[in-house]
Amino acid sequence: MTDTPMIRMAAVDKHFGELHVLKDINLEVERGQVVVVLGPSGSGKSTLCRTINRLEPVDSGTIELDGRALPAEGKALAGLRADVGMVFQSFNLFAHKTVLENVMLAPLKVRKQDKAAAEKNAVRLLERVGIANQKDKYPAQLSGGQQQRVAIARALAMDPKVMLFDEPTSALDPEMVQEVLDVMTGLAKDGMTMLVVTHEMGFARRAAHRVVFMADGEIVEDSTPDDFFTNPSSDRAKDFLGKILTH
Amino acid sequence: MGPVNVLLDNIDLYARGFLGTIELFVVSAIGSLILGAILAAMRVSPVPILRAFGTVYVNILRNTPLTLVIFFFAFAYPRLEIYDLSYFTRACIGLILYTAAFVCEVIRSGVNTVPVGQAEASRALGFTFNQTLSQVVLPQAVRNVVPPLANIQIALLKNTTIAAGFSVTEAGGIYQALSERGANVFVGLLWVAVGFLILVVPLTLLQRNLDRRWSTAR
């Protein structure tokens, strides 16, 4: 008996007007697997990530999370999104709430946890991402790396089945990238199912079980990090790696 | 009779008048902020019929002179014989309906200043549309439009004088009583102006205070 995959995308297509951003995407992510999506900008990898919790609706095809098809907009979709953690390139912490309130808000309002339990859990998660001492500050008072770690804690507070990372380090100053990657590597080690859109090749090599390479809206390669980096089969992947790894 | 005497001799008039003004203002201010926020929520909602209602409401109320709105509730409403309301209540309803149209538009412009990522993050966490709006978008929208909201409320404070046409006791009606008493109406009106100036001060302070407190959160 096989386990149902955590994420299953089958024959997914999407257009932005004339632009065909996702072409017949078929992708499965097993429970506990860390999948890194690589590709040049404009290849559709961010869009792919955003279709999984329906922040971007698709034109056709099926997307299932933990065996359940994505429902249409409404209460059922909100319930399903609550189980999917998402981390954005631009952090998107709630600007009018403190760090602690950011982490507690969804558990209080969506999960209806009581305040004491939500706070205890929030503080524990903030400690885990190394930022508990900043809990009463507002997001704007933190560095980008700190904000992104809070955003990860905020997503984890919902106890998600799977975490989606949409270029989590692309908006960060170079010296802050590592602190965020360390948190993500820790999560991967703990067995979290993760889909990570990134340009961090080091993270892909170290933490990923699988590398998916996209170009022009298609999945071009799907292999282990070792295979992908040492022995890419497609010309587009060779070209991409050549450009990235030479400088 | 000196200018101060006009005030002191008629202090009962002034006290009753301004108390009426404050009552009208407080009720209408709270009412217009609540109704305005609800209308703004309608205007940004994904439900077409709510959006249409909000648009029609704003365009009608914003483009009607306040005196007409007030006249309607003063003279036309009682003839409709729907439900008997006091002058004070009808004055408040008129002021709230009118002012809410302006509050709605200011809050809506505030909604447009909130980055899309804020709503996306809350949807991704499992918030419903209403929760996203009430927990994340509207609080930030209102913070971004404190000065124009304060302007609207100051205008409302002065608009309460129109309720004198309703026989509601308020500061705008003081001059009538003064002239009946044979006092110097011109000086009396200057004191009314001073009274309004004093009433605006706490509003200005509140605006400054909120602006300062919320600016750190950005």
Side-chain angles (χ1 to χ4, degrees):
Chain A
M1 195 181 99
T2 52
D3 238 0
T4 43
M6 189 55 85
I7 302 172
R8 193 173 86 86
M9 303 177 77
V12 168
D13 268 280
K14 178 171 178 65
H15 292 77
F16 281 131
E18 290 288 289
L19 189 68
H20 200 168
V21 277
L22 294 179
K23 297 175 188 161
D24 189 28
I25 298 290
N26 294 285
L27 178 70
E28 290 190 0
V29 177
E30 303 300 327
R31 222 168 286 268
Q33 208 172 41
V34 177
V35 174
V36 166
V37 183
L38 299 175
S41 34
S43 58
K45 54 193 193 306
S46 266
T47 308
L48 178 135
C49 184
R50 292 162 56 86
T51 58
I52 294 170
N53 62 356
R54 211 173 185 279
L55 282 184
E56 297 285 357
V58 298
D59 299 341
S60 61
T62 327
I63 300 177
E64 285 172 9
L65 273 162
D66 202 9
R68 284 174 55 204
L70 282 188
E73 202 72 39
K75 274 235 161 70
L77 181 62
L80 194 133
R81 279 175 178 152
D83 290 335
V84 179
M86 183 149 195
V87 175
F88 300 85
Q89 180 175 352
S90 48
F91 327 133
N92 296 345
L93 292 177
F94 302 135
H96 63 305
K97 300 275 184 192
T98 65
V99 164
L100 184 66
E101 289 166 342
N102 260 279
V103 180
M104 288 169 62
L105 192 64
L108 288 177
K109 301 292 172 186
V110 179
R111 294 266 193 253
K112 315 284 182 204
Q113 284 180 12
D114 73 71
K115 206 169 168 222
E119 179 163 351
K120 199 171 151 216
N121 194 36
V123 170
R124 180 182 64 81
L125 289 166
L126 287 170
E127 274 163 5
R128 176 169 174 184
V129 299
I131 218 144
N133 54 344
Q134 317 271 5
K135 67 184 167 67
D136 296 319
K137 288 193 177 168
Y138 284 92
Q141 295 168 299
L142 302 184
S143 74
Q146 290 172 325
Q147 289 191 52
Q148 195 60 298
R149 285 186 281 150
V150 174
I152 294 172
R154 177 176 70 175
L156 291 175
M158 295 298 282
D159 201 11
K161 295 175 180 170
V162 52
M163 288 281 287
L164 307 174
F165 292 84
D166 184 7
E167 303 205 24
T169 57
S170 298
L172 295 178
D173 292 338
E175 76 268 24
M176 289 163 186
V177 169
Q178 201 52 50
E179 65 190 50
V180 172
L181 292 181
D182 287 345
V183 171
M184 290 167 59
T185 309
L187 270 180
K189 283 211 181 92
D190 291 351
M192 174 63 77
T193 311
M194 292 162 64
L195 184 128
V196 184
V197 174
T198 187
H199 294 290
E200 296 299 328
M201 301 301 144
F203 177 79
R205 274 177 194 274
R206 235 179 316 114
H209 299 114
R210 258 167 79 197
V211 169
V212 169
F213 176 73
M214 285 184 75
D216 300 325
E218 287 174 303
I219 293 179
V220 179
E221 298 213 19
D222 186 344
S223 55
T224 64
D226 256 1
D227 266 359
F228 179 75
F229 286 109
T230 55
N231 190 23
S233 54
S234 68
D235 289 341
R236 275 190 282 195
K238 283 176 194 161
D239 184 47
F240 175 76
L241 286 172
K243 279 179 188 151
I244 284 198
L245 299 177
T246 48
H247 60 82
Chain B
M1 193 160 81
V4 179
N5 287 353
V6 176
L7 176 66
L8 293 182
D9 291 349
N10 300 291
I11 196 74
D12 59 322
L13 273 184
Y14 281 94
R16 251 186 295 135
F18 275 102
L19 201 65
T21 297
I22 292 170
E23 281 172 2
L24 272 175
F25 172 70
V26 169
V27 173
S28 307
I30 295 171
S32 67
L33 287 172
I34 294 172
L35 181 59
I38 294 172
L39 287 166
M42 286 180 165
R43 292 208 67 179
V44 299
S45 123
V47 184
I49 191 150
L50 294 181
R51 271 207 311 274
F53 176 84
T55 310
V56 169
Y57 179 98
V58 165
N59 281 309
I60 291 178
L61 268 292
R62 198 170 54 161
N63 297 333
T64 309
L66 176 59
T67 28
L68 273 186
V69 177
I70 296 282
F71 275 174
F72 172 82
F73 282 98
F75 306 119
Y77 177 82
R79 296 196 182 184
L80 298 176
E81 294 182 339
I82 302 167
Y83 185 78
D84 199 20
L85 295 169
S86 72
Y87 284 125
F88 178 81
T89 310
R90 277 186 273 148
C92 288
I93 292 175
L95 288 167
I96 288 172
L97 291 183
Y98 177 81
T99 310
F102 293 88
V103 171
C104 164
E105 286 305 272
V106 163
I107 292 182
R108 194 167 68 99
S109 75
V111 167
N112 293 334
T113 68
V114 179
V116 185
Q118 296 284 314
E120 276 188 352
S122 63
R123 284 160 67 207
L125 282 166
F127 287 106
T128 60
F129 176 81
N130 287 342
Q131 285 176 320
T132 298
L133 208 56
S134 64
Q135 297 293 326
V136 176
V137 177
L138 280 184
Q140 292 187 55
V142 170
R143 280 164 165 77
N144 291 342
V145 291
V146 169
L149 275 184
N151 273 346
I152 290 174
Q153 298 305 323
I154 288 171
L156 167 64
L157 176 65
K158 295 183 290 183
N159 285 342
T160 55
T161 53
I162 294 177
F166 259 111
S167 0
V168 174
T169 312
E170 49 80 41
I174 289 174
Y175 78 97
Q176 239 171 348
L178 281 178
S179 73
E180 280 161 20
R181 288 186 184 183
N184 184 332
V185 174
F186 177 69
V187 174
L189 277 179
L190 282 180
W191 284 115
V192 172
V194 170
F196 273 100
L197 279 179
I198 294 170
L199 283 186
V200 171
V201 170
L203 279 180
T204 314
L205 290 180
L206 179 68
Q207 176 199 333
R208 216 175 289 168
N209 186 313
L210 289 178
D211 242 2
R212 203 178 37 223
R213 180 143 39 114
W214 284 342
S215 66
T216 54
R218 266 167 234 157

